[in-house]
């Protein structure tokens, strides 16, 4: 744990870019997603990116390597949908442990290769924990506002299973990301604290919310500052925002929290807003110029990219980040056990 704190004190750390954007370039077919092992599986599997850690591990490995090559300090495991709740769409709940464990192992292997080559720049693996496709705070049924598609306890159990596999697979930290519902995030954080206590380990936690629109709120209705306050009881490594917005639109929300917390601050925005075809057009240079504004204002400790970002974007961001000193923050020491 001290390793990442040490690195954060020395420099702005760079997170990788979008796994999904990179995988799209492979144009994998249904057969590619299935591989030999799942060729007779009863449900369509195309689009289940987490499954590619089992059926196309070389592609996942290559993508991690490309991000490390251009200067990323941290890569995220290919586990954004790695819970029983999200995997129910593919009837693959039984594979959750294996998906997370193998994804963590692939990323660990690549990180260790790069750390061995450049010991002065240790590489880290963040276990990616996505929000699931259900929300604990809101009803999916407009005619029944009291209905919930998932409970806190169901989320906690699902997250705990994911977290245990990620830890077993060798991640350095856990990244609870793209939080649109803070209650979901709290279930994940609760599960992490449970695993830490049961195993008597301390593992750093990054938490990243998502501001969904111009109102400046998360989907469950919190402003950036309210989001920060509602999670500040947990000893976090960093808090921040990702997805939904481009770098320029995200800046005011980072400004809203940067001087109100002792945690490190992270951001991994999209490459602008999607065009009419759902694609992201912002060039690495355009995105880099906007991110440089964060650095000039001393808002950031960890910076990366979300939807639409590629190794080219991360290279530009890493080159810019290298010129700036990290924002000062207090090291929060966990007292959970």
């Amino acid at each position: 744990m001290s390793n990442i704190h040490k690195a954060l004190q020395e420099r702005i750390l760079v997170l990788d870019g979008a796994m999904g954007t990179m995988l799209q370039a492979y144009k994998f077919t249904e057969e590619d997603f299935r591989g030999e092992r799942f060729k007779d599986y009863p449900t369509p599997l195309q689009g289940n990116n987490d499954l590619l850690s089992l059926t196309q591990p070389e592609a996942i490995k290559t993508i991690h390597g490309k991000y490390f090559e251009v200067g990323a300090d941290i890569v995220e495991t290919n586990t954004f949908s790695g819970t029983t709740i999200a995997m129910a769409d593919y009837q693959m709940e039984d594979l959750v442990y294996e998906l997370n464990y193998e994804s963590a192992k692939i990323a660990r292997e690549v990180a260790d290769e790069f750390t061995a080559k450049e010991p002065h720049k240790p590489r880290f693996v963040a276990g990616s924990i996505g929000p699931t496709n259900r929300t604990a705070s809101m009803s999916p049924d407009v005619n029944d506002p009291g209905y919930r598609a998932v409970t806190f306890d169901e989320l906690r159990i699902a997250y705990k299973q994911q977290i245990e596999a990620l830890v077993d697979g060798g991640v350095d930290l856990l990244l609870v990301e793209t939080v649109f519902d803070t209650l979901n995030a709290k279930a994940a954080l609760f599960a992490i604290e449970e695993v830490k206590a049961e195993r008597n380990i301390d593992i750093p936690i990054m938490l990243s919310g998502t501001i969904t629109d111009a109102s400046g709120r998360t989907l469950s209705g919190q402003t950036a500052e309210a989001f920060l306050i509602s999670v500040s009881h947990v000893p976090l490594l960093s808090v921040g925002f990702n997805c939904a917005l481009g770098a320029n639109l995200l800046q005011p929300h980072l400004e809203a929290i940067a001087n109100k917390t002792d945690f490190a601050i992270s951001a991994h925005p999209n490459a602008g807003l999607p065009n009419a075809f759902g694609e992201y057009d912002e060039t690495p240079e355009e995105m880099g110029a906007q991110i440089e504004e964060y650095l000039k204002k001393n808002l950031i400790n960890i910076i990366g990219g979300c939807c639409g970002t590629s190794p080219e974007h991360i290279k530009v961001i890493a080159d810019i980040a290298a010129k700036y000193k990290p924002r000062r923050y207090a090291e929060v020491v966990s007292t959970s056990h």
Side-chain angles (χ1 to χ4, degrees):
M1 177 171 182
S2 57
N3 270 0
I4 194 152
H5 276 296
K6 187 167 170 288
L8 274 170
Q9 303 292 354
E10 290 166 2
R11 62 186 193 276
I12 292 166
L13 295 189
V14 177
L15 192 66
D16 61 2
M19 174 62 77
T21 300
M22 295 295 286
L23 286 171
Q24 278 164 11
Y26 280 87
K27 299 194 165 36
F28 285 134
T29 62
E30 176 72 34
E31 283 64 40
D32 296 326
F33 272 87
R34 289 174 175 270
E36 189 52 38
R37 179 171 164 192
F38 301 102
K39 68 175 196 294
D40 300 322
Y41 212 76
T43 53
L45 299 179
Q46 195 168 5
N48 185 355
N49 283 352
D50 294 23
L51 182 62
L52 295 170
S53 294
L54 303 184
T55 55
Q56 302 291 339
E58 282 310 311
I60 304 301
K61 208 172 175 173
T62 301
I63 291 167
H64 289 324
K66 282 183 175 169
Y67 282 124
F68 278 139
E69 259 160 37
V70 295
D73 297 283
I74 307 167
V75 297
E76 299 176 47
T77 54
N78 179 38
T79 54
F80 188 79
S81 302
T83 56
T84 49
I85 292 166
M87 280 296 145
D89 287 357
Y90 301 98
Q91 295 174 22
M92 287 196 149
E93 298 95 323
D94 293 351
L95 281 172
V96 160
Y97 183 90
E98 188 184 354
L99 286 172
N100 285 281
Y101 179 79
E102 291 301 329
S103 296
K105 239 172 71 175
I106 291 167
R108 173 83 274 145
E109 202 177 303
V110 185
D112 290 347
E113 279 168 25
F114 276 85
T115 301
K117 278 190 282 193
E118 302 175 284
H120 62 283
K121 186 180 159 80
R123 303 307 214 279
F124 302 99
V125 175
S128 169
I129 299 170
T132 82
N133 46 7
R134 298 193 194 166
T135 168
S137 291
M138 291 166 284
S139 172
D141 180 356
V142 288
N143 299 313
D144 186 359
Y147 172 71
R148 295 291 178 269
V150 71
T151 66
F152 183 90
D153 218 42
E154 285 165 346
L155 285 163
R156 176 189 67 81
I157 290 162
Y159 280 130
K160 190 174 180 188
Q161 196 178 357
Q162 178 175 30
I163 291 154
E164 286 173 335
L166 289 169
V167 171
D168 289 348
V171 301
D172 299 294
L173 56 145
L174 295 165
L175 168 56
V176 180
E177 63 170 317
T178 323
V179 173
F180 56 77
D181 182 344
T182 309
L183 197 54
N184 286 39
K186 286 188 171 191
L189 294 169
F190 192 94
I192 293 170
E193 292 303 316
E194 270 192 307
V195 173
K196 280 163 60 174
E198 283 168 13
R199 297 185 174 209
N200 196 27
I201 55 169
D202 209 349
I203 187 158
I205 308 163
M206 290 176 66
L207 179 67
S208 185
T210 190
I211 300 287
T212 42
D213 58 30
S215 71
R217 292 172 183 268
T218 64
L219 194 64
S220 56
Q222 287 183 313
T223 60
E225 202 180 334
F227 172 70
L228 170 67
I229 291 164
S230 68
V231 296
S232 286
H233 61 291
V234 179
L236 299 172
L237 174 75
S238 69
V239 66
F241 296 103
N242 73 290
C243 204
L245 302 173
N248 57 343
L249 294 174
L250 197 56
Q251 186 170 320
H253 309 302
L254 295 168
E255 287 172 1
I257 64 170
N259 61 356
K260 296 188 176 75
T261 182
D262 287 338
F263 301 142
I265 299 279
S266 76
H268 49 296
N270 292 346
L273 293 173
N275 63 23
F277 303 102
E279 292 161 350
Y280 294 85
D281 301 325
E282 207 163 77
T283 66
E285 291 68 30
E286 286 166 339
M287 191 174 179
Q290 293 169 31
I291 279 173
E292 191 154 13
E293 294 303 311
Y294 298 179
L295 306 178
K296 286 177 184 166
K297 293 192 169 183
N298 198 26
L299 298 176
I300 280 291
N301 303 91
I302 302 170
I303 186 75
C306 203
C307 306
T309 57
S310 64
E312 290 73 28
H313 289 83
I314 298 303
K315 183 179 189 335
V316 169
I317 290 167
D319 290 347
I320 292 167
K323 298 186 230 163
Y324 289 85
K325 292 226 176 316
R327 167 185 164 276
R328 305 309 302 159
Y329 75 100
E331 188 172 320
V332 179
V333 179
S334 167
T335 52
S336 61
H337 56 269

